Amino acid sequence: MKKIALITFFLSKLLISQDFPKDFRSPVQIPISLSGNFGELRNNHFHAGIDIRTQQRIGVKVLAPKDGYVSRIKISPYGYGKAIYIDHPNGYTTVYGHLSELIGDIDTKAREEQYKKQNYSIDLYLKPNELPVTEGDLIALTGNTGGSGGPHLHFEVRDTKTEEILNPFLFGFDIADNVPPQINGTWIYPIEGIVNGSREKIMVSQGGNYLAAGKIGFGIKTYDKQNASNNLNGIYFIKTYVNDELISEYKANRHSFDESRAINATIDYKEKLNRNSWIYRTYLLPGNTLQMYEQTQNKGIVEIESGKNYSIKLVAGDFAGNTTTRSFTVQGIENISTSTKPAKGKYTAEILKPLEIKENGIHIKFDKGSFYENIDFDFQPLEINKFKIHNSSVPLHKAFELSIKPDWSTLDKNKAEHYVIFRQSNYGPAKKQYLPTTYKNGIFTASPKDLGEFSLVLDDIPPTITSPMLTKSKQVGKKLSFIIKDAESGIKSYDVWIDGKWILAEYEYKQNSLFIPDLSKEGIDKGFHEVEVRVMDEANNLKIYKNNFEKL
């Protein structure tokens, strides 16, 4: 842990002194207005770039901001949707996500790979001489593909060698901003102590005075805004001062992919689950090595001494230098704690050790570094083929291996291939999740990323496939589309065949839409044709749809 902390410290110092190039041009020709910024808090990850508004429309031109070459093309119904990566000679990679169209040779190369794989989803890496680009070249059009909530361009800058994600503002992409951040609340967290007689966090007000004993930390709910946007975006820095001494700083400059899930240790995870409320911790949980923190004292934790007074100041700031401050005082009192630690259970989860549980037909394996705190681990068989694996209010940094050898007394073995592992949250609002599951040699396996209650559930209902346009008329112009849905385990694969030939079709899960945008582009000429659509869900239920149409 000490070695990791030292490496993180020196990297952060290097970043501060690093001279980032400021000669990238804007990837769009419209004024930049942001709907999201770097480091913004998202479910299970920090936002990795800036989201540039595209005037609520699809089809804005995306231009190469500097010479380089297309190093990667990734297309998926999820995540960044259609995405392009460009490596530049200056050592940085720019990324463009949620695109509607790829242009020219980039599109040709992507389509070749899709037809080769007979799959809409591809992840293609290219060599430096395959697809060179020049500054200002048209590379794509903006869109709303993948996990996007509306038309925009997701833009990132990465260190090409380390693949670390960097704040684009460091490269001169900052925008006009004289709006200070807003603070929606501050809290004191009793870590090993009490505050105003409570062992639960308490909300504090500007100028308030509070009584505390033992170890405490602080939390803050804060957002940033810019001149041309009403969006509540992510904060750039949070500084914590005790008696005018800086003891903790969070700064959204860079992070690695391995650190993404550390967001769940950076925030009050229970608060997020229960109230969908995002509170930054200004102190570190023991297993949180996120490099965006720099703690000068005891991981940002303050040990309160009886009879002493502490002046606390939390400062939230944006990249433009606007700040907002909340101040309060803490008075140290005698710690009269009578609490006792609960008796240890059968298992203990430790930050730096793996944990393996094998009993009652279940096998669980956690790698070291899976937990942010050492905890008394709660594992319980609840009923046949149902297990409690600790508590969903505890976040994990890594997925774990889960294998279940079923007791078939309550299941239908003849339908074994249609069972999946099912997770339900046991904290906050109920959350149901069908996990991608494999069944081999009588064992069901999955790789959950969250804790909770797990069971085997049967899904023997196939997906549905309809085509409202073919129901209305068998005559088709440019586009052919279908609606595909699955009410339970979710869609795993989809294919469209026309006249016995596999045809590239796009899947837009947000609208349950499977479609061919341009039949002529896929070689479908005028005349009569037969179409077959095959959709399989995660429980291996296959649905086949057949019809015919006339291409006009």
Side-chain angles (χ1 to χ4, degrees):
M1 289 291 287
K2 288 184 179 179
K3 187 175 181 180
I4 293 172
L6 283 172
I7 292 171
T8 300
F9 175 79
F10 285 119
L11 280 174
S12 66
K13 290 299 182 185
L14 178 64
L15 180 69
I16 292 169
S17 62
Q18 191 169 344
D19 185 19
F20 293 95
K22 303 293 193 296
D23 56 352
F24 281 118
R25 64 171 290 165
S26 172
V28 293
Q29 295 173 303
I30 57 176
I32 291 184
S33 171
L34 301 185
S35 59
N37 62 357
F38 181 83
E40 198 166 281
L41 303 178
R42 302 285 177 89
N43 286 327
N44 296 313
H45 70 284
F46 298 96
H47 190 234
I50 56 175
D51 285 344
I52 301 173
R53 283 195 175 93
T54 55
Q55 301 170 341
Q56 298 182 334
R57 59 191 173 100
I58 289 171
V60 173
K61 293 179 179 180
V62 180
L63 309 178
K66 200 74 180 166
D67 292 357
Y69 72 94
V70 176
S71 57
R72 184 182 182 189
I73 304 170
K74 186 173 183 180
I75 298 177
S76 168
Y78 310 103
Y80 289 175
K82 295 181 180 180
I84 294 172
Y85 300 65
I86 298 178
D87 283 10
H88 304 280
N90 59 12
Y92 298 100
T93 298
T94 51
V95 183
Y96 314 81
H98 309 304
L99 306 170
S100 61
E101 289 184 43
L102 313 183
I103 298 298
D105 291 342
I106 303 173
D107 179 58
T108 300
K109 182 68 72 171
R111 287 171 53 81
E112 286 175 357
E113 184 72 4
Q114 288 171 314
Y115 270 98
K116 177 182 175 182
K117 302 288 188 183
Q118 291 197 347
N119 201 321
Y120 173 69
S121 298
I122 58 168
D123 192 0
L124 176 62
Y125 288 83
L126 299 113
K127 297 176 181 178
N129 60 347
E130 287 188 75
L131 287 176
V133 295
T134 301
E135 180 179 333
D137 280 355
L138 176 63
I139 60 172
L141 302 179
T142 64
N144 187 35
T145 57
S148 168
H152 72 280
L153 173 66
H154 175 86
F155 175 77
E156 288 180 23
V157 183
R158 301 182 184 180
D159 184 307
T160 303
K161 183 177 290 187
T162 67
E163 294 189 341
E164 283 188 311
I165 313 157
L166 302 166
N167 191 334
F169 286 176
L170 296 168
F171 296 82
F173 287 102
D174 56 314
I175 61 173
D177 181 7
N178 58 17
V179 182
Q182 67 181 54
I183 296 177
N184 292 359
T186 49
W187 287 262
I188 301 176
Y189 285 77
I191 299 169
E192 292 179 14
I194 57 173
V195 179
N196 281 10
S198 173
R199 298 193 178 281
E200 300 295 326
K201 72 175 183 288
I202 66 166
M203 192 171 188
V204 299
S205 59
Q206 171 71 14
N209 182 56
Y210 303 90
L211 305 177
K215 295 179 180 180
I216 64 172
F218 307 104
I220 183 170
K221 186 174 183 179
T222 180
Y223 299 97
D224 187 31
K225 298 178 74 173
Q226 289 92 32
N227 290 13
S229 172
N230 290 322
N231 282 65
L232 297 178
N233 294 332
I235 203 70
Y236 177 56
F237 72 79
I238 302 167
K239 296 182 179 181
T240 305
Y241 294 87
V242 177
N243 295 331
D244 293 324
E245 181 182 359
L246 179 65
I247 68 160
S248 166
E249 182 174 10
Y250 166 91
K251 185 175 283 187
N253 274 331
R254 76 195 302 162
H255 68 274
S256 68
F257 286 104
D258 289 343
E259 295 176 312
S260 291
R261 285 185 66 86
I263 187 174
N264 294 327
T266 302
I267 63 170
D268 182 332
Y269 190 63
K270 288 183 181 179
E271 183 79 10
K272 170 62 176 69
L273 288 182
N274 252 6
R275 299 181 181 87
N276 198 32
S277 176
W278 302 86
I279 300 174
Y280 291 87
R281 300 179 192 266
T282 69
Y283 62 97
L284 284 174
L285 296 182
N288 185 2
T289 58
L290 179 67
Q291 63 180 297
M292 290 195 288
Y293 276 105
E294 184 177 330
Q295 313 290 12
T296 59
Q297 288 187 21
N298 198 28
K299 295 183 178 291
I301 297 169
V302 181
E303 188 156 5
I304 302 297
E305 296 182 32
S306 178
K308 290 189 176 182
N309 293 324
Y310 301 81
S311 174
I312 312 300
K313 182 169 67 175
L314 303 180
V315 182
D318 61 25
F319 195 86
N322 304 296
T323 61
T324 303
T325 301
R326 289 291 180 268
S327 300
F328 51 93
T329 58
V330 174
Q331 181 180 345
I333 60 174
E334 185 178 353
N335 193 347
I336 53 174
S337 171
T338 58
S339 65
T340 57
K341 292 185 178 180
K344 280 197 171 185
K346 189 174 181 179
Y347 299 101
T348 300
E350 298 185 46
I351 299 167
L352 297 179
K353 292 183 179 179
L355 172 63
E356 187 169 5
I357 298 172
K358 193 172 185 179
E359 59 174 86
N360 295 93
I362 192 169
H363 189 187
I364 309 167
K365 293 177 68 176
F366 295 93
D367 289 339
K368 67 178 181 179
S370 293
F371 298 90
Y372 297 109
E373 298 178 275
N374 296 339
I375 57 173
D376 189 26
F377 195 82
D378 182 15
F379 168 76
Q380 297 178 39
L382 299 176
E383 54 190 69
I384 297 175
N385 298 315
K386 187 173 184 179
F387 308 88
K388 179 182 180 183
I389 303 179
H390 200 65
N391 191 301
S392 57
S393 66
V394 173
L396 293 176
H397 192 66
K398 300 178 181 180
F400 64 97
E401 296 179 29
L402 171 61
S403 300
I404 299 176
K405 184 176 183 180
D407 180 337
W408 289 106
S409 64
T410 60
L411 306 176
D412 186 349
K413 196 170 185 178
N414 293 322
K415 297 182 177 180
E417 65 176 346
H418 300 305
Y419 281 91
V420 294
I421 296 177
F422 177 83
R423 172 187 172 269
Q424 185 162 351
S425 170
N426 52 13
Y427 191 90
K431 180 180 179 181
K432 299 179 178 180
Q433 181 184 18
Y434 293 87
L435 299 173
T437 303
T438 59
Y439 177 66
K440 186 177 181 180
N441 299 326
I443 304 292
F444 293 93
T445 60
S447 298
K449 296 181 179 179
D450 299 285
L451 303 170
E453 295 181 0
F454 295 83
S455 58
L456 289 170
V457 298
L458 176 65
D459 174 11
D460 58 357
I461 302 172
T464 60
I465 307 171
T466 59
S467 178
M469 66 180 300
L470 291 183
T471 300
K472 184 177 180 180
S473 172
K474 295 297 180 68
Q475 293 184 322
V476 174
K478 181 178 181 180
K479 181 178 179 179
L480 181 61
S481 62
F482 308 89
I483 301 298
I484 61 175
K485 296 180 181 180
D486 189 80
E488 295 187 291
S489 59
I491 291 171
K492 178 167 66 175
S493 64
Y494 43 87
D495 291 284
V496 178
W497 300 76
I498 296 179
D499 301 331
K501 177 186 175 183
W502 186 87
I503 298 295
L504 176 61
E506 300 189 21
Y507 176 44
E508 178 51 74
Y509 77 93
K510 299 188 292 289
Q511 282 81 43
N512 302 305
S513 177
L514 182 66
F515 60 97
I516 302 166
D518 187 344
L519 287 164
S520 297
K521 189 174 182 179
E522 308 309 325
I524 307 303
D525 298 325
K526 292 181 179 181
F528 292 94
H529 303 275
E530 293 183 349
V531 60
E532 178 178 310
V533 181
R534 299 183 177 191
V535 179
M536 181 176 286
D537 65 17
E538 292 286 357
N540 302 307
N541 297 295
L542 176 65
K543 180 70 174 181
I544 299 176
Y545 169 97
K546 294 182 179 181
N547 211 330
N548 55 72
F549 66 94
E550 181 186 6
K551 169 72 168 61
L552 298 178

